[in-house]
């Protein structure tokens, strides 16, 4: 099909709605963890109706919160940004402009590699997460730009990005990706949903549809000061090394579509929810309080081969769960969407009375529920089985965390390398590779690879981890450290709801996760409809944003 080129202009605007705070750079008075918790617990749950973008403004609590927001004008800017509706096969171009203020609303850390314009302003660049597009439209961390493009990073290309939308229908999201600023720019609000529709496929599947029954839930966690200002700790965990950087941001309040713990009135019928975890570091393990199951139909930007019924969904930052919830059979009048994931995941604190709750569904009476003609088909999308894909080559990808003398993390590297070190991952465009990802840290790292689609096929424990880790720390060479003789421990079951072509996969600590990575087009192995080897190239990184900003990120350059 010949695509027409739609153009929308998206502009960043800061909405200054908070009257109390005039100068962002002026440090607020110190605040304790228990005070933050008290502020979050003073927010009444389930008083706000779940909003739908793009109607909503970024007021998360009783006091308005100043945010950075996406929109086509200051009046139209929202947090999350407007949901971009794209059509399969119809290229879309977006001109990204920067109208952010001269100084950031959150504290920065100059000791990590960070975009630093000489003439002020807040650098930003937009990445379409899960998108298959040229690297000149990928939002490379070095492709940042400030207001009116007066200063640009070394890999900046042009203001207008083109998204070919050659993928089948599914869920993507867009967010800031500027070097060393991702955690604060997303915390400030620079994120939004993007959906690709495909009328032929969508009508065949006949899942719940239309604005009322097919909804996005963009979930984040945030802490706030009393006046509504977003809280981020201004003291680093190793303040003499990094004055501000902390290894993970966790907020006390759970925000869905810009509201803290909202509610949604639902009819007794099926709904489709596209749940995007846009937290900086918080994992969510979702469940429904009445014990009923989710029917998961998609993961990240792909459908599952067949629907999976599950009572729990574990979602890492940047992962997307596409689920159907059938409210027609429950006797409950209210159902709470709950969260039970420890933070940091998997060995941190248990969620408390606040962050164990996400939102509430309030059921309308039967009489008010119109007939439901939607369905959940038994087969969704047949894909190539990863185990029979022919791999062009294998690579070892090792995740390291470095700690100070006090045992606090100072930085994280992939393969012992900094982001600025020369590119080492140079797959051939059109091929498939096997990557063995080895996590030598205590955290679960959601690995995100730009452009590629990939899935885990084996997750196996590393035996004699301390011996292997000490060898790797000195040699940084998995083969020389006898990796195969160490990967002999127990294997973990890969959840059925993750067995599809994903763009973010969780890496279990102390385990080797084997992933099949496709550097070609999902579904049919047709070549990319653009030169994927041109331009500044892509990146792969941990999607815990605090890790990504402190160098758990590496370049990825496709070659012919
Ligand atoms: C914001 O909250 C604080 C403390 O709860 C209160 O004193 C103040 O009046 C509130 N301001 C607005 C605009 O709601
Ligand atoms: C901020 O970080 C410092 C250093 O890690 C810590 O001592 C302090 O408790 C933190 N404050 C809050 C409110 O979390
Ligand atoms: C969201 O993602 C973050 C960071 O990857 C992760 O720690 C958190 O558990 C996720 N939360 C949910 C609800 O999926
Ligand atoms: C672990 O490796 C060390 C060093 O290679 C070795 O001395 C030790 O016996 C090993 N331990 C086990 C339980 O295999
Ligand atoms: C790897 O294993 C071989 C044979 O088992 C052994 O000779 C060699 O010393 C080992 N290398 C390391 C770094 O442990
Ligand atoms: C990207 O930026 C780096 C410097 O950070 C530079 O060496 C490289 O040539 C740039 N690549 C392109 C294609 O602009
Ligand atoms: C080498 C290393 O530090 N591995 C860690 C990986 O994660 C496990 C589980 O959290 C830890 O116990 C290991 O120490
Ligand atoms: Cu990480």
């Amino acid at each position: 099909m010949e695509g027409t080129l739609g153009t929308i202009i998206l502009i960043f605007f800061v909405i200054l709605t908070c009257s109390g705070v005039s100068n962002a750079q002026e440090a607020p008075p110190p605040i304790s963890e228990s005070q933050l918790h008290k502020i979050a617990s003073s927010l009444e749950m389930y008083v706000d109706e779940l909003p739908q973008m793009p109607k909503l403004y970024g007021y998360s609590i009783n006091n308005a919160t100043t945010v950075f927001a996406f929109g086509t004008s200051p009046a139209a800017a929202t947090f999350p940004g407007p949901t971009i509706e794209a059509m399969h096969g119809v290229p879309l171009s977006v001109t990204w402009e920067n109208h952010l203020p001269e100084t950031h609303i959150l504290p920065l850390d100059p000791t990590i590699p960070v975009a630093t314009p000489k003439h002020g302003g807040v650098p930003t660049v937009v990445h379409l997460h899960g998108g298959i597009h040229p690297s000149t439209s990928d939002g490379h961390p070095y492709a940042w730009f400030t207001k009116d493009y007066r200063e640009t990073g070394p890999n900046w290309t042009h203001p207008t990005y083109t998204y070919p939308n050659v993928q089948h229908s599914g869920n993507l999201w867009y967010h800031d990706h500027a070097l060393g600023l991702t955690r604060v720019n997303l915390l400030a609000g620079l994120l939004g949903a993007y959906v690709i529709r495909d009328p032929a496929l969508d009508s065949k599947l006949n899942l719940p549809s239309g604005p009322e029954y097919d909804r996005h839930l963009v979930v984040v966690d945030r802490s706030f000061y009393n006046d509504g200002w977003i809280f981020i700790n201004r003291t680093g965990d190793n303040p003499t090394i990094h004055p501000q950087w902390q290894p993970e941001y966790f907020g006390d309040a759970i925000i869905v579509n810009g509201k803290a713990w909202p509610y949604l009135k639902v009819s007794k019928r099926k709904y489709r929810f596209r749940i995007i975890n846009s937290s900086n570091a918080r994992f969510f393990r979702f469940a429904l309080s009445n014990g009923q199951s989710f029917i998961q139909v998609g993961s990240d930007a792909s459908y599952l081969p067949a629907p999976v019924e599950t009572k729990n969904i574990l979602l890492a930052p940047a992962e997307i769960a596409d689920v159907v919830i059938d409210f027609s059979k429950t006797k409950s009048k209210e159902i709470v969407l709950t969260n039970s994931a420890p933070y940091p995941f998997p060995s941190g604190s248990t969620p408390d009375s606040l962050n164990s709750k996400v939102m509430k569904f309030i059921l309308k009476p039967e009489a008010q529920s119109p007939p439901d003609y939607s369905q959940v088909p038994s087969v969704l999308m047949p894909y190539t089985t990863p185990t029979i894909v022919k791999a062009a080559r294998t690579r070892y990808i090792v995740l390291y965390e470095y700690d100070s003398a006090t045992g606090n993390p100072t930085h994280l590297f992939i393969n012992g390398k900094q982001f600025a070190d020369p590119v080492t991952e140079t797959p051939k465009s059109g091929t498939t590779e096997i990557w063995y990802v080895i996590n030598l840290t205590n955290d679960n790292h959601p690995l995100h690879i730009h452009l590629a689609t990939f899935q885990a096929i084996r997750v196996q424990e590393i035996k004699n981890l301390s011996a292997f880790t000490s060898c790797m720390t000195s040699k940084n060479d998995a083969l020389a450290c006898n990796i195969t003789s160490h990967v002999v421990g127990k294997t973990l079951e890969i959840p059925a709801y993750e067995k599809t072509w994903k763009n973010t996969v969780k890496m279990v600590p102390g385990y080797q996760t084997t992933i099949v990575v496709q550097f070609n087009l999902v579904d049919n192995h047709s070549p990319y409809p653009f030169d994927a080897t041109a331009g500044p190239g892509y990146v792969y990184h941990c999607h815990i944003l605090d890790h990504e900003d402190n160098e758990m990120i590496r370049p990825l350059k496709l070659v012919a």
Side-chain angles (χ1 to χ4, degrees), residues 219 250 277-286 314-319 339 341 345 446 543-544:
V219 187
F250 295 111
N277 176 3
S278 307
S279 292
N280 279 33
R282 181 179 292 278
F283 282 57
F284 291 97
R285 183 184 283 119
F286 293 118
L314 180 66
L315 215 56
E319 277 190 303
N339 166 40
F345 192 80
H543 221 292
I544 292 179

Side-chain angles (χ1 to χ4, degrees), residues 9-206:
I9 314 272
L10 281 161
I11 310 176
F12 306 111
F13 270 99
V14 54
I15 328 182
L16 281 163
T17 48
C18 182
S19 49
V21 183
S22 53
N23 184 352
Q25 294 309 87
E26 200 177 285
I31 191 162
S32 71
E33 277 176 62
S34 63
Q35 282 171 302
L36 288 169
H37 188 266
K38 209 165 138 225
I39 293 166
S41 59
S42 73
L43 307 175
E44 240 182 287
M45 290 185 186
Y46 320 128
V47 289
D48 284 314
E49 187 159 12
L50 174 78
Q52 289 238 75
M53 289 81 77
K55 294 178 206 96
L56 98 112
Y57 289 78
Y59 314 148
S60 338
I61 48 173
N62 46 348
N63 273 332
T65 296
T66 300
V67 295
F68 287 173
F70 286 105
T72 50
S73 71
T78 56
F79 170 75
T83 299
I84 299 180
E85 291 272 343
M87 191 67 76
H88 170 77
V90 181
L92 171 69
S93 61
V94 178
T95 300
W96 300 102
E97 296 180 1
N98 181 344
H99 295 268
L100 294 170
E102 286 305 311
T103 51
H104 211 288
I105 56 171
L106 299 175
L108 309 179
D109 193 323
T111 61
I112 59 173
V114 57
T116 313
K118 291 189 186 68
H119 308 291
V122 175
T124 188
V125 62
V126 182
H127 169 58
L128 176 60
H129 182 111
I132 291 175
H133 44 244
S135 83
T136 47
S137 290
D138 193 50
H140 194 282
Y142 285 115
W144 54 266
F145 57 99
T146 55
K147 193 171 186 163
D148 301 329
Y149 315 103
R150 71 183 175 211
E151 249 177 290
T152 55
N155 290 155
W156 188 78
T157 51
H158 36 62
T160 301
Y161 276 12
T162 303
Y163 306 114
N165 298 317
V166 287
Q167 305 152 255
H168 67 62
S169 51
N171 302 302
L172 293 79
W173 60 295
Y174 59 96
H175 61 75
D176 169 86
H177 216 297
L179 183 72
L181 292 170
T182 307
R183 74 196 183 297
V184 278
N185 282 354
L186 269 75
L187 207 56
L190 294 182
L191 57 99
Y194 183 111
V195 61
I196 300 180
R197 312 262 180 201
D198 178 351
L201 176 62
D202 296 348
S203 63
K204 197 180 90 198
L205 295 177
N206 192 23

